[in-house]
Amino acid sequence: RMSAVPGSRPPPMLIAAAGALAGGTVAVLALELSRRRSRRRGGVGVALEHVSQGKAYLDWNATSPIFPEVTEAVQPYISTEFGNPSSDHCFGAPSREAVAKARASVAELLGCQPGEVIFCGCGSEADNHALRGAVALKRKAGMKPHVISSAIEHVAISACLDQMALAGEIEVTYVGVDSDGFVAPAAVAAAVKASTVLLSVMHSNNEVGTVQDIRAIGDAAREAHKAKGGDGLVLVHTDAAQSVGKVAVRPTVLGAALVTIV
């Protein structure tokens, strides 16, 4: 359903929640290894390996074991190559090179520039950076920023928005979903105000599996914003933590200025 033609908007900033040095390396390797393993054996086959004493682990969208290959790849950076990547001395250089390589790998995966990838400590931190940064960027004197999100977001999104609203920093509107768990572009358009600055809708839902049409939702929000007296420059953020490694995630295709991945 999503257009493959990039929009004529500024390049997206990627909020990549990969966990500083080691986490960034693990994230890149794990994504590729996960794809290979899934193609070779299938997700159900992998899950059935983790059956013990009559219990099967099926919560793979929450967390999963690290592949041995990933452990091997990251081992040097938690043992011998432990230098601070920000240090100028010889111990920092290998770590700095590893971070740069991890950042370039994430950028290649997402079709963006390495400088647009920001490593954070976790997905929740990345979501918070995206939401608060976007609101700060779009804030105007005499206007309370309005943010639209969906009713099925991860708590990393909803708790942050609720806290900002409680503090009087923003006004927030949560749009519901249909019986299949999809956010309707028309419902988002109806919620748009002239003061709307940000739209945040999860790409793939970890509980019901819906994959939202972020391009259509974002386009509807921008058109409605212009129709209601705005400039049509509503920023779009999507939490794609459950998408990367499973379905294609290209910010330019999604029409998203900010994307969170883990």
Side-chain angles (χ1 to χ4, degrees), residues 69-92:
E69 299 95 325
V70 176
T71 302
E72 181 182 354
V74 79
Q75 187 61 38
Y77 304 104
I78 56 176
S79 55
T80 56
E81 305 293 350
F82 56 84
N84 188 327
S86 298
S87 298
D88 292 330
H89 50 63
C90 61
F91 289 95

Side-chain angles (χ1 to χ4, degrees), residues 15-253:
I15 307 294
L21 169 62
T25 308
V26 169
V28 176
L29 293 172
L31 290 173
E32 178 57 30
L33 290 170
S34 177
R35 283 194 294 268
R36 294 177 185 174
R37 193 69 61 91
S38 295
R39 287 195 295 267
R40 189 164 67 243
R41 296 155 63 188
V44 174
V46 175
L48 290 180
E49 289 182 0
H50 290 76
V51 177
S52 175
Q53 298 178 347
K55 296 182 291 185
Y57 184 75
L58 301 176
D59 198 16
W60 290 70
N61 277 341
T63 190
S64 59
I66 296 176
F67 285 121
E69 299 95 325
V70 176
T71 302
E72 181 182 354
V74 79
Q75 187 61 38
Y77 304 104
I78 56 176
S79 55
T80 56
E81 305 293 350
F82 56 84
N84 188 327
S86 298
S87 298
D88 292 330
H89 50 63
C90 61
F91 289 95
S95 299
R96 187 162 53 252
E97 292 171 4
V99 172
K101 183 178 180 180
R103 181 172 281 110
S105 296
V106 173
E108 181 181 4
L109 177 69
L110 299 173
C112 67
Q113 297 300 312
E116 295 175 306
V117 176
I118 300 173
F119 288 147
C120 300
C122 64
S124 295
E125 181 183 337
D127 280 337
N128 276 247
H129 271 298
L131 298 177
R132 291 184 174 279
V135 168
L137 178 67
K138 300 288 285 185
R139 189 181 300 278
K140 297 179 181 178
M143 182 195 77
K144 180 180 288 189
H146 176 237
V147 180
I148 300 173
S149 192
S150 84
I152 58 171
E153 297 298 306
H154 189 278
V155 69
I157 295 292
S158 58
C160 179
L161 293 178
D162 288 346
Q163 192 279 330
M164 293 174 72
L166 185 63
E169 300 174 34
I170 64 169
E171 178 187 1
V172 61
T173 299
Y174 291 106
V175 176
V177 297
D178 63 20
S179 59
D180 292 319
F182 287 102
V183 176
V188 171
V192 169
K193 302 180 180 183
S195 58
T196 302
V197 299
L198 175 65
L199 166 69
S200 181
V201 175
M202 180 186 292
H203 187 224
S204 299
N205 187 274
N206 57 305
E207 294 180 347
V208 297
T210 50
V211 179
Q212 306 291 344
D213 191 340
I214 302 299
R215 164 68 72 176
I217 294 170
D219 286 347
R222 286 183 281 263
E223 288 301 316
H225 194 244
K226 287 189 290 187
K228 297 179 181 182
D231 55 16
L233 301 179
V234 176
L235 291 177
V236 175
H237 165 258
T238 185
D239 184 339
Q242 297 294 337
S243 301
V244 174
K246 303 168 188 174
V247 297
V249 176
R250 293 276 170 157
T252 51
V253 175

